Amino acid sequence: MITSENIRAVIQDIVLGFDASALKDDQTFRDAGIDSLDFINILFAIDERHGTHIPDEHVKQCNSIQAILDYVNNPVHAD
């Protein structure tokens, strides 16, 4: 099971100079100042490190730490 700490570690590695510990779980990446390229790189790194996969059609809904957790830790995804 992936945790918010796992995601914060990825964010810290991908977004240089960003304090991932200050990011609230429900705060969107956009509101935190994370650009779309870093966002995609974060999702790729989470996939690589933790064996998760978020299909392209679900990427937009995974716009915060909590949204990613809800998606990857829930075995059934509604379209």
Side-chain angles (χ1 to χ4, degrees):
M1 178 179 277
I2 191 170
T3 67
S4 60
E5 290 78 23
N6 298 136
I7 296 172
R8 280 189 178 79
V10 170
I11 294 168
Q12 199 67 52
D13 290 346
I14 299 295
V15 187
L16 301 178
F18 186 81
D19 181 9
S21 66
L23 184 62
K24 296 178 184 173
D25 284 359
D26 62 347
Q27 183 179 13
T28 66
F29 296 121
R30 174 184 265 179
D31 287 346
I34 296 174
D35 67 31
S36 57
L37 181 58
D38 283 335
F39 169 65
I40 295 300
N41 286 332
I42 289 165
L43 294 181
F44 279 130
I46 291 169
D47 181 29
E48 185 176 282
R49 293 181 192 183
H50 300 286
T52 63
H53 178 68
I54 301 171
D56 291 345
E57 60 269 15
H58 294 267
V59 165
K60 282 187 178 183
Q61 76 187 50
C62 294
N63 62 353
S64 69
I65 291 174
Q66 188 60 55
I68 292 171
L69 291 172
D70 291 344
Y71 188 87
V72 300
N73 292 327
N74 181 359
V76 177
H77 304 288
D79 288 325

